[in-house]
Amino acid sequence: MTGAIKAHPYGGSVDETSNTSTLYIFDVKYNNSGVTQHFEFKKISAIQIQLKDNSNNTWTDLVKM
């Protein structure tokens, strides 16, 4: 996400709202644009995490290959 923020013409910031061993939630806020992206990741196991789809409030499995 740092690369996306740096590439944005106005820059921005990341605000972590949860950073535990099983849950990571953060918002990316782009300066001067009013755009904020919200991300939630949940650890399921050593090789699997889930990403929350905020549009329909569902979780998608992401598996380490």
Side-chain angles (χ1 to χ4, degrees):
M1 292 310 305
T2 303
I5 293 168
K6 288 182 179 179
H8 194 273
Y10 301 113
S13 63
V14 175
D15 295 326
E16 294 179 350
T17 56
S18 179
N19 187 359
T20 68
S21 62
T22 58
L23 186 63
Y24 185 48
I25 302 172
F26 64 97
D27 293 316
V28 177
K29 298 177 181 180
Y30 296 99
N31 297 336
N32 299 324
S33 69
V35 174
T36 299
Q37 292 178 296
H38 180 78
F39 296 92
E40 294 186 37
F41 293 91
K42 181 171 40 174
K43 181 179 179 180
I44 304 303
S45 70
I47 61 167
Q48 181 184 4
I49 62 173
Q50 292 183 328
L51 169 64
K52 186 174 184 181
D53 181 342
N54 296 312
S55 65
N56 60 13
N57 206 31
T58 60
W59 292 89
T60 300
D61 289 332
L62 306 173
V63 179
K64 182 179 180 181
M65 302 300 255

